[in-house]
Amino acid sequence: MDLHRRVQSQTSSTSTATPSKHAFETRVADVKSPKSDINALILDYLMMEGYPKAAEKFQKEANLKPRQEDPTINARQQIQHAIHVGDIQKAISDLNELDPGILDSDPHLHFSLLRLQLIELIRNARGYDPSAAINFAQEKLAPRAASNEQFLRELEKTMALLIFPADKLQPDLAALLHSDLRRNTAAQVNEVVLQRHTERREAAIRQLVRMRAWAEASCRSKKGNLPDRIELGLNGDDNGNDPMVTT
Amino acid sequence: MTNPNPFPRRMSSFASANNGSRPLRSAGFSHLLNPPPDSGSHGSGASSHAGAPFSSLDAGAAHLGNAPHGLDEGRRSHRTSGANLPSFSRAFDMFTSKEPLLAGPNMTYSGVGSSASVSKTGFLSPSYLRGSGYLEKLAEQHKAKLMADRETTMSKGSSGTVFAGNTGNTESRSVTLHTKLPSGIHRGVALNLIERPPASAELEDVVSPLPTRWNSDDKDHTVEVFGDGYEVKYTGSKGSEHEAGAIRADNPMPMQCGVYYFEVMLLSKKREENIIAIGFETRKAQLSRFPGWEGESWAYHGNDGKIFASGSNSGRLYGPTYGAGDTVGCLMNFRTNQVLFTKNGEELEIAFKDPSFKDPTKSFYPAVGLKRPGDHIWINFGQVPFQYDIDGYMKKQQKMVTDKIRSTDTANLAPPLNDTELIQQLVLQFLQHDGYVGTARAFAEEIHMEKQALNMDADVPVEGVNIKDDEDANNRQQIRRAILEGDIDQALIYTNQFYPKVLEENGQVYFRLRCRKFIEMIRREAEMNSSLQEAGVKAKSTSQPRHHTGNDTQRTYSQNPGGEDELMTEGEEEMMDTEEDGSELRTGNPEDETMAMRAAGVSELCQDALEYGQELRDEFKNDPSHEVSKHLNEIFALMAYPNPLEVKEVAHLLDGKGRVAVAEELNSAILTSLGKSSRAALENLYAQTTVLLEDLRKDGGDGAFVTIQNVIDDIPKAQVN
């Protein structure tokens, strides 16, 4: 058995496609992506973003153990979930239970959550009596907005939702009703909790992905020797088979 | 700005907090530990500590003691009468604390960054470059060279030569390493040759080495090099108006560092006007002229505080004058094409800005120019901590780049996915690809739940996250599980059952699996041994026949060339000892009998291991590959240790991480044989980023300031069971 030859064949092209390969692709194929790093990135991601079941399974299947147990992971998932479904009241109370000082320490976050709560009240009130929403706005948001320009503007914008019909909204108003606002707010809350407990705001994998995007853009701006398009390989195998996951 | 008492300041630079790492060899601390003033010592004794800057200085400095002089090549420690302590003496431990070195006014010191060091093998790693892609690469090259040297000649141990880490003079920035990297060394420290595929020493990927010493072949005749290559003295007669003695360093400032910095301390005795120039130049500049006055030469002159750029005779006013006792630093920032100087730890303004600094055809060498007899300087290339907070400067540059990255939009990577979706897909695909079936399923469910929660329009159903029921993934997972549990036999059974051709077609993986089986046997035995040892019983061998088998095998082993012989005798002795102890086991005590059974079990394991080992050797004895026989020797050597888990040189072979590595290799091989990509998109991303960063690093731009390792290091460490 000639191992050299075998090793050669193993480290060459990972693609079974075109015969001529760009020099860049060849270099990429030669570089190792250590599993220990990848596994660490994934576990870190699952824990930071709040996917406790997946995190647990992964620890077992990949034989990993995080150095510090994270007691907040379940709570964080719960809170995010509450925000996702629009139950802001629950989210706020869960949040206070998890970390009593957090909303006081971050007035902007607090206001964002309250505003989201107002939006949900408005959403539910559409076509019906808006007084619950208005009372809420007067009680909870107006006092904070009184002393803060930015809060005031956001409050005014939100209140405009009461006036205009849903299908005639300007884009910036429509955005308030979009699920992305919930998703983003939930992510923000998650980050703040993490920052207070672990001193990191986000999973490392996010920075890696951004680094990838930035590096390519920088290289291209310097007219580096790159192929026209560098695929990540998400969309199925090189053979063009169906992707493994469909949503 | 003259410092009323220059010495404490200087002491501060050398005595910065050296956190428990090896004491600095070349720090010039020796004089500080010398006997106090009443000994009146001044220039006696042969101190040969490189980098020791203090020659005979003025009154008030008597306690600073001996003059470093003479070129010293080796790193011998000196035990001259009380005066000098070897560099690694415990006395240097005082530098690991932050207590004042000498009691008295103005004599406390503060650390300016972590300690710099020169390794045993001569590898220079300045503090501000630690963790950088450049230094990582340079270290690899250094290791590769050492390994190559070791393999071609008998091992020289750790003495090495002073210049081991660098290849001396270079004409250009490109290839300075002419040895082919031995197979197995790759982008990553070559801890285990077998694990890395062979690399080709592509010229474009070689980085140029750091400046480490003054170059006595690249200087004017009026100056001489001293003090282990760090000091320069003007030894000519007083020259004419325009003449000077210049000298350059052995290597140019490498662009790939991103930022390069050095400091020069003026040691001249005279307090009168010293005409000294500090800067950098290409080799085109004449050595009989001051740096700055010639073309392709830039410098900061001490007598008038002016800076001179590339051949201008008049220069322009820049900063303070400087003279004896001052430390002047020169900082080249390749990212911004700017140069600035520092004086006694303080940053001065930007001095030069010139895009030609990034010209890849030009090499800029650190340089100084002296003029008067008695002019004497010492340079710090990073072998000891700097006065100026260069680490802080570097961190600021890094932050600028990481902030840029943080605000990058990832929308172009895999449109139309946004960041969050993209990452979810990357993670999910990886989990599937590598056969982490349970995790993939759990994650998919959680993502689905999330989507449902966010879905506000009851009329639009959320599609399920459909994981193709991947039988293949299940199979691969079973195989992986078996390996991770150490049951190689089971893994082999599964593999042959599900993917019969794979092992045939992948000889290396097959070899690794077989070796791993052997390692697991040793490991089991070692573990049992240690538990028995804890119970106070040595259990290596209990029976005569086994002893003989042992000897036979050992005799076969001793036919191997190289270092195995020592190990064999150790092992043999061990076995002989335990032979005698074996009789202790039969005491009739039930506890002891369980022990005896266990001991017998261990010896059985040992026997099995031996037999298997022989099998293994026979099977692969005809393999021409050097790596194969090397690896076999490595693992067979394990047998010589009664408890290899405790012997740190070999314990790593038994590490659980080895299981992970083998599992991954097999998984990859299977995937390839199925025609699937052997790498998931996330791994591609990682690899692509590595290559892109390498390219970005080449001209000292942003890429020089970030590495993927920085990102990974951010994660609190997970442990493999």
Side-chain angles (χ1 to χ4, degrees):
Chain A
M1 285 193 237
D2 187 347
L3 284 178
H4 268 305
R5 215 177 348 108
R6 290 187 196 288
V7 169
Q8 221 78 347
S9 64
Q10 270 180 295
T11 54
S12 63
S13 149
T14 54
S15 156
T16 52
T18 51
S20 69
K21 244 186 165 195
H22 195 281
F24 178 78
E25 304 282 358
T26 315
R27 287 168 68 198
V28 170
D30 277 345
V31 171
K32 273 233 165 206
S33 44
K35 292 288 179 168
S36 53
D37 283 358
I38 305 281
N39 286 350
L41 284 167
I42 293 194
L43 183 59
D44 175 61
Y45 165 77
L46 293 173
M47 296 198 64
M48 296 283 275
E49 306 249 329
Y51 298 108
K53 293 203 192 65
E56 203 187 299
K57 273 266 151 64
F58 190 57
Q59 275 168 244
K60 272 207 214 96
E61 289 187 318
N63 237 3
L64 297 173
K65 203 202 285 216
R67 180 158 282 184
Q68 286 156 335
E69 290 298 326
D70 182 3
T72 65
I73 187 175
N74 284 310
R76 285 189 287 109
Q77 190 192 35
Q78 235 177 293
I79 292 167
Q80 287 189 79
H81 182 74
I83 297 177
H84 288 164
V85 297
D87 188 351
I88 312 301
Q89 198 170 358
K90 179 171 197 306
I92 291 182
S93 83
D94 284 351
L95 194 53
N96 279 325
E97 208 182 292
L98 172 65
D99 189 341
I102 187 173
L103 289 174
D104 288 332
S105 77
D106 194 336
H108 198 262
L109 187 68
H110 198 174
F111 191 83
S112 295
L113 279 169
L114 290 172
R115 193 198 47 177
L116 198 53
Q117 198 172 352
L118 175 59
I119 292 174
E120 295 309 316
L121 287 169
I122 294 176
R123 197 199 306 271
N124 294 336
R126 282 203 162 264
Y128 303 103
D129 178 13
S131 46
I134 296 178
N135 286 336
F136 183 77
Q138 284 173 332
E139 253 178 83
K140 293 284 167 87
L141 283 109
R144 290 164 207 271
S147 50
N148 187 315
E149 269 277 350
Q150 192 192 357
F151 290 176
L152 186 57
R153 266 181 274 125
E154 288 178 12
L155 178 55
E156 286 171 353
K157 205 162 99 171
T158 313
M159 295 307 283
L161 288 172
L162 283 170
I163 318 285
F164 298 101
D167 48 350
K168 296 253 174 53
L169 291 173
Q170 298 280 357
D172 58 339
L173 281 190
L176 291 180
L177 290 178
H178 196 278
S179 62
D180 278 356
L181 183 62
R182 288 188 196 169
R183 199 196 257 278
N184 293 338
T185 308
Q188 266 173 43
V189 170
N190 193 46
E191 275 177 30
V192 176
V193 173
L194 282 170
Q195 178 81 42
R196 279 165 70 90
H197 286 255
T198 65
E199 311 215 322
R200 293 169 63 213
R201 289 189 79 90
E202 56 172 18
I205 196 175
R206 286 196 180 265
Q207 186 70 346
L208 177 62
V209 174
R210 284 187 213 118
M211 198 182 268
R212 164 65 181 78
W214 169 84
E216 183 180 345
S218 294
C219 262
R220 289 199 190 278
S221 74
K222 288 189 178 172
K223 310 268 187 285
N225 180 20
L226 297 178
D228 291 336
R229 171 107 198 121
I230 308 175
E231 293 294 344
L232 293 180
L234 260 185
N235 301 318
D237 315 278
D238 295 341
N239 291 343
N241 292 340
D242 290 331
M244 292 197 253
V245 175
T246 54
T247 48
Chain B
M1 175 155 88
T2 47
N3 197 334
N5 188 348
F7 305 118
R9 203 66 189 282
R10 220 172 291 125
M11 275 189 277
S12 78
S13 66
F14 299 120
S16 51
N18 183 344
N19 303 320
S21 55
R22 266 182 65 87
L24 306 172
R25 185 262 178 262
S26 48
F29 291 123
S30 60
H31 60 280
L32 295 168
L33 293 168
N34 282 334
D38 42 294
S39 73
S41 66
H42 206 59
S44 62
S47 156
S48 60
H49 295 262
F54 298 105
S55 59
S56 37
L57 287 160
D58 295 335
H63 62 278
L64 293 171
N66 297 333
H69 57 266
L71 265 170
D72 184 319
E73 263 141 27
R75 292 175 175 273
R76 306 183 293 275
S77 66
H78 291 265
R79 289 195 180 273
T80 54
S81 48
N84 293 297
L85 294 161
S87 55
F88 40 81
S89 149
R90 290 294 320 257
F92 286 105
D93 283 357
M94 71 171 72
F95 295 101
T96 64
S97 74
K98 289 213 164 161
E99 317 234 301
L101 174 62
L102 294 164
N106 305 327
M107 292 213 179
T108 51
Y109 57 85
S110 55
V112 282
S114 51
S115 61
S117 64
V118 182
S119 78
K120 273 189 287 193
T121 51
F123 184 72
L124 171 65
S125 59
S127 60
Y128 64 98
L129 289 176
R130 304 249 174 90
S132 68
Y134 167 78
L135 206 62
E136 217 177 271
K137 191 94 208 203
L138 199 63
E140 263 178 59
Q141 288 173 193
H142 180 72
K143 269 208 170 74
K145 185 166 190 303
L146 286 181
M147 285 215 189
D149 288 348
R150 214 171 281 154
E151 280 176 19
T152 53
T153 63
M154 291 292 285
S155 165
K156 278 191 154 116
S158 61
S159 61
T161 60
V162 166
F163 298 88
N166 305 277
T167 52
N169 301 341
T170 50
E171 284 301 303
S172 70
R173 268 177 222 198
S174 57
V175 181
T176 52
L177 245 185
H178 298 288
T179 51
K180 178 178 186 316
L181 298 176
S183 60
I185 312 302
H186 205 50
R187 290 166 186 71
V189 177
L191 287 175
N192 184 342
L193 287 179
I194 285 290
E195 292 194 27
R196 313 270 173 184
S200 49
E202 293 153 18
L203 292 187
E204 47 183 88
D205 289 338
V206 171
V207 295
S208 27
L210 289 165
T212 61
R213 297 288 192 291
W214 288 117
N215 188 351
S216 47
D217 291 332
D218 195 15
K219 65 172 181 65
D220 188 60
H221 64 277
T222 51
V223 294
E224 289 296 323
V225 179
F226 292 92
D228 213 10
Y230 296 113
E231 294 173 47
V232 180
K233 274 190 195 159
Y234 188 87
T235 49
S237 51
K238 196 162 173 168
S240 76
E241 173 86 21
H242 291 292
E243 281 172 7
I247 182 171
R248 297 187 275 255
D250 53 358
N251 291 311
M253 306 190 274
M255 271 203 298
Q256 302 103 325
C257 297
V259 165
Y260 182 77
Y261 183 67
F262 65 91
E263 274 179 356
V264 174
M265 181 181 302
L266 282 68
L267 301 173
S268 320
K269 238 200 291 203
K270 301 189 182 130
R271 286 286 186 172
E272 67 179 58
E273 181 182 272
N274 299 109
I275 307 177
I276 294 187
I278 295 173
F280 53 93
E281 56 187 33
T282 66
R283 287 180 123 187
K284 287 212 183 105
Q286 265 195 51
L287 292 163
S288 57
R289 306 269 288 156
F290 263 143
W293 285 354
E294 284 290 301
E296 300 202 340
S297 173
W298 290 256
Y300 175 24
H301 288 206
N303 61 316
D304 54 11
K306 287 185 175 172
I307 47 172
F308 293 78
S310 201
S312 66
N313 260 340
S314 56
R316 71 170 172 88
L317 277 176
Y318 168 70
T321 59
Y322 59 85
D326 288 327
T327 299
V328 172
C330 176
L331 191 160
M332 164 77 87
N333 184 336
F334 288 105
R335 182 173 164 260
T336 55
N337 288 330
Q338 290 171 340
V339 172
L340 60 83
F341 292 92
T342 68
K343 182 182 173 190
N344 294 331
E346 277 177 36
E347 190 179 310
L348 304 173
E349 290 172 10
I350 310 277
F352 309 117
K353 189 172 160 92
D354 190 336
S356 79
F357 293 151
K358 278 236 263 259
D359 184 343
T361 63
K362 295 210 157 72
S363 300
F364 301 105
Y365 293 78
V368 292
L370 307 178
K371 198 175 168 77
R372 295 258 164 78
D375 280 351
H376 182 185
I377 59 99
W378 166 91
I379 191 167
N380 182 1
F381 289 114
Q383 72 272 14
V384 297
F386 292 105
Q387 271 211 16
Y388 167 68
D389 183 17
I390 180 66
D391 289 4
Y393 180 91
M394 194 63 165
K395 288 207 169 61
K396 282 207 207 106
Q397 298 294 305
Q398 287 164 343
K399 184 163 191 311
M400 283 191 234
V401 180
T402 50
D403 282 350
K404 252 201 240 182
I405 294 177
R406 208 173 287 278
S407 57
T408 305
D409 184 16
T410 60
N412 281 334
L413 283 178
L417 302 174
N418 66 29
D419 310 27
T420 305
E421 290 168 345
L422 172 61
I423 294 184
Q424 281 175 347
Q425 290 296 306
L426 286 169
V427 172
L428 196 50
Q429 193 224 35
F430 175 83
L431 293 170
Q432 283 240 281
H433 185 271
D434 269 36
Y436 295 110
V437 178
T439 313
R441 228 178 268 286
F443 187 45
E445 272 169 26
E446 287 182 306
I447 296 180
H448 182 67
M449 204 169 74
E450 205 178 88
K451 286 204 155 82
Q452 274 185 320
L454 286 164
N455 182 33
M456 289 181 292
D457 191 345
D459 294 335
V460 178
V462 175
E463 290 172 33
V465 180
N466 204 354
I467 304 204
K468 277 174 29 171
D469 206 358
D470 211 336
E471 184 192 308
D472 164 65
N474 273 317
N475 294 341
R476 289 187 286 115
Q477 196 197 29
Q478 280 190 290
I479 294 174
R480 174 204 302 280
R481 273 250 70 80
I483 298 180
L484 290 181
E485 281 163 15
D487 190 350
I488 308 299
D489 282 332
Q490 185 62 52
L492 286 168
I493 292 175
Y494 282 141
T495 310
N496 283 318
Q497 182 185 340
F498 303 132
Y499 309 104
K501 285 239 170 59
V502 172
L503 291 175
E504 255 175 60
E505 294 171 357
N506 289 283
Q508 194 201 28
V509 178
Y510 176 65
F511 173 68
R512 288 284 306 264
L513 280 167
R514 301 270 296 176
C515 287
R516 190 72 210 171
K517 175 171 165 172
F518 181 78
I519 291 176
E520 292 298 330
M521 291 171 97
I522 300 291
R523 188 183 155 133
R524 263 196 294 273
E525 187 199 326
E527 279 170 358
M528 280 190 83
N529 251 343
S530 41
S531 68
L532 278 170
Q533 264 175 15
E534 275 166 24
V537 176
K538 272 196 189 174
K540 253 270 177 174
S541 87
T542 55
S543 58
Q544 282 281 350
R546 192 201 164 267
H547 183 60
H548 284 320
T549 328
N551 267 342
D552 286 342
T553 334
Q554 304 246 322
R555 254 181 259 126
T556 342
Y557 290 177
S558 60
Q559 284 162 19
N560 293 334
E564 257 82 54
D565 297 307
E566 296 168 0
L567 297 172
M568 291 309 113
T569 36
E570 249 183 63
E572 273 186 60
E573 277 172 26
E574 236 298 322
M575 291 175 115
M576 302 236 251
D577 284 342
T578 54
E579 243 270 305
E580 289 151 32
D581 289 341
S583 54
E584 286 174 14
L585 292 172
R586 303 180 196 90
T587 56
N589 188 321
E591 215 178 68
D592 287 343
E593 269 171 11
T594 341
M595 285 301 158
M597 280 170 57
R598 273 210 243 162
V602 170
S603 67
E604 212 181 279
L605 272 181
C606 197
Q607 185 143 8
D608 290 341
L610 281 171
E611 283 173 11
Y612 182 68
Q614 279 179 304
E615 218 182 280
L616 201 54
R617 173 157 290 261
D618 286 338
E619 192 174 336
F620 290 99
K621 68 169 174 265
N622 291 324
D623 195 297
S625 162
H626 175 64
E627 280 168 29
V628 167
S629 47
K630 190 161 192 280
H631 192 58
L632 282 176
N633 287 339
E634 263 184 340
I635 62 178
F636 287 151
L638 285 171
M639 298 230 45
Y641 298 91
N643 200 345
L645 286 170
E646 284 167 20
V647 180
K648 81 172 162 333
E649 289 82 4
V650 296
H652 68 91
L653 286 169
L654 297 170
D655 207 316
K657 291 200 190 113
R659 292 182 188 170
V660 176
V662 173
E664 295 316 328
E665 260 192 66
L666 182 52
N667 193 48
S668 273
I670 295 175
L671 284 169
T672 315
S673 77
L674 293 174
K676 293 191 183 163
S677 171
S678 71
R679 276 216 278 227
L682 180 56
E683 297 170 279
N684 273 335
L685 185 144
Y686 186 107
Q688 288 166 1
T689 310
T690 306
V691 177
L692 289 166
L693 283 179
E694 264 175 29
D695 284 349
L696 286 173
R697 198 168 288 145
K698 286 207 180 103
D699 65 348
D702 287 347
F705 296 88
V706 289
T707 62
I708 295 186
Q709 194 56 47
N710 297 151
V711 175
I712 305 286
D713 285 343
D714 216 24
I715 307 176
K717 298 283 170 282
Q719 289 155 349
V720 177
N721 283 343

